[in-house]
Amino acid sequence: MAVTRNLGLGVLETRWFNERHHTVRPLFEFLSYALKDRPDAFTYERFVGASSFREAVRFMTGQEDIDYLYVAAHGDFGKIEASDGTGLSRTFLRNTINEVNQRRRKLKGVLFGSCKFGDAYNLIELLRPSKIRGQTVANRLLWVGGYDQEIEYTRSSLFDIYFYDLFLRTTAPTEMARLEKTVADLKRMLPGFAENQSLCIVARHSKGRYRDLIRGVDISD
């Protein structure tokens, strides 16, 4: 794998609490220092609602070095929550990503740092094609991850950083092999932790076939 100055990672975050300024940004700066010896080897943007989320994704995917997205926000079943009070549905998220992901360099994976949104069937919806303005738009994502239950902010944020640290250090001949090796290492180093945190990572194997890598379960349409 060629050595680059960037992690290939874009981080999207909304405000967590009106009265407090929580942010995951310093964690990714720490990761950036650890892997690239600089604090800015990733792209960071804030969003407040649907329009700014869409514009941030467009901006990030317009850069040549973004392969992965991390989305940090409150979540619920079937949506993530923006700081303006709106919910961004899985259909909106899928369409937004699919619409911008048609360039030669594509997004490969997205991890959501959100409560409850990461149910396997929600994640599968994010791996399906979109219908946009009457046209079918192919889905080029290879994997999506998240949490399918309520999670504790500090613990899950640190866990997400650990996941990316393992993943970005891992080399393999294919994206799927890289992801599978990362998950295997994660489970070996922290036995039972991913399951206890309700982490779910779903990858597309072929048309209509998916695999929940944490639980080792195949899912078909």
Side-chain angles (χ1 to χ4, degrees):
M1 182 180 294
V3 176
T4 66
R5 283 177 51 80
N6 295 306
L7 296 173
L9 179 63
V11 178
L12 282 159
E13 185 175 31
T14 193
R15 178 179 292 182
W16 295 91
F17 306 102
N18 288 332
E19 70 280 8
R20 287 172 285 167
H21 185 62
H22 286 58
T23 175
V24 299
R25 185 169 187 167
L27 298 177
F28 284 92
E29 291 174 346
F30 176 83
L31 179 68
S32 178
Y33 266 121
L35 296 180
K36 296 295 181 180
D37 199 28
R38 46 186 288 228
D40 59 347
F42 66 101
T43 301
Y44 177 90
E45 295 293 334
R46 297 294 290 264
F47 68 95
V48 298
S51 295
S52 56
F53 180 90
R54 185 184 290 112
E55 289 305 313
V57 173
R58 285 175 177 166
F59 172 75
M60 286 184 171
T61 57
Q63 301 185 64
E64 289 299 313
D65 58 354
I66 301 298
D67 294 309
Y68 308 100
L69 289 181
Y70 178 73
V71 181
H74 288 301
D76 207 339
F77 301 106
K79 65 181 181 180
I80 64 171
E81 299 174 354
S83 55
D84 67 355
T86 59
L88 309 186
S89 71
R90 61 191 188 185
T91 300
F92 169 82
L93 296 167
R94 179 187 65 213
N95 289 353
T96 297
I97 293 169
N98 285 351
E99 191 169 22
V100 302
N101 205 21
Q102 303 305 306
R103 302 176 179 87
R104 183 175 63 180
R105 187 185 181 99
K106 65 182 181 181
L107 284 173
K108 299 173 184 177
V110 181
L111 180 64
F112 289 87
S114 305
C115 293
K116 302 178 184 177
F117 181 72
D119 173 85
Y121 290 95
N122 275 344
L123 300 181
I124 286 173
E125 283 298 317
L126 297 180
L127 293 172
R128 297 186 192 278
S130 294
K131 202 78 169 179
I132 302 175
R133 294 182 289 276
Q135 301 293 319
T136 299
V137 178
N139 195 314
R140 304 179 71 198
L141 283 178
L142 299 176
W143 61 267
V144 188
Y147 298 90
D148 67 8
Q149 296 177 24
E150 193 82 27
I151 52 175
E152 198 277 324
Y153 174 85
T154 304
R155 190 178 302 121
S156 62
S157 297
L158 292 172
F159 186 53
D160 293 340
I161 291 296
Y162 186 55
F163 166 82
Y164 274 117
D165 183 67
L166 284 175
F167 180 73
L168 295 171
R169 292 179 189 271
T170 298
T171 57
T174 67
E175 180 72 9
M176 188 61 62
R178 185 186 193 188
L179 185 62
E180 289 175 340
K181 186 175 187 304
T182 299
V183 171
D185 288 344
L186 191 70
K187 296 173 80 170
R188 176 174 55 83
M189 295 177 184
L190 296 173
F193 194 82
E195 294 88 342
N196 291 338
Q197 288 294 294
S198 75
L199 179 67
C200 183
I201 298 175
V202 173
R204 180 175 43 243
H205 271 223
S206 60
K207 185 177 180 180
R209 293 185 62 249
Y210 310 90
R211 184 165 181 80
D212 179 339
L213 296 175
I214 299 297
R215 296 163 182 82
V217 175
D218 290 323
I219 304 170
S220 299
D221 283 340

